């Protein structure tokens, strides 16, 4: 379970696509696998050059 940042409790609703807490008006949407260190560039990238 994912913790609700608004209340310090588990989200009352959570599935493979989202988590929601109506009490605090917070919704998180999952958009793919978590970002890992291998996903990040070794050097900073200038905007518009990637």
């Amino acid at each position: 379970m994912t913790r609700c940042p608004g209340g310090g409790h588990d989200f009352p609703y959570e599935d493979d696509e989202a988590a929601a807490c109506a009490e605090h008006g917070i919704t998180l949407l999952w958009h793919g696998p978590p970002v890992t260190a291998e996903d990040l560039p070794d050097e900073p990238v200038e905007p518009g050059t990637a």
Side-chain angles (χ1 to χ4, degrees):
M1 295 289 297
T2 304
R3 303 287 286 174
C4 173
H9 56 86
D10 290 341
F11 276 97
Y13 170 82
E14 184 174 1
D15 64 16
D16 292 340
E17 297 179 5
C21 176
E23 178 183 354
H24 297 106
I26 298 173
T27 301
L28 302 178
L29 302 175
W30 316 140
H31 291 286
V35 174
T36 65
E38 292 80 32
D39 297 322
L40 303 174
D42 294 329
E43 301 286 328
V45 177
E46 292 294 324
T49 62

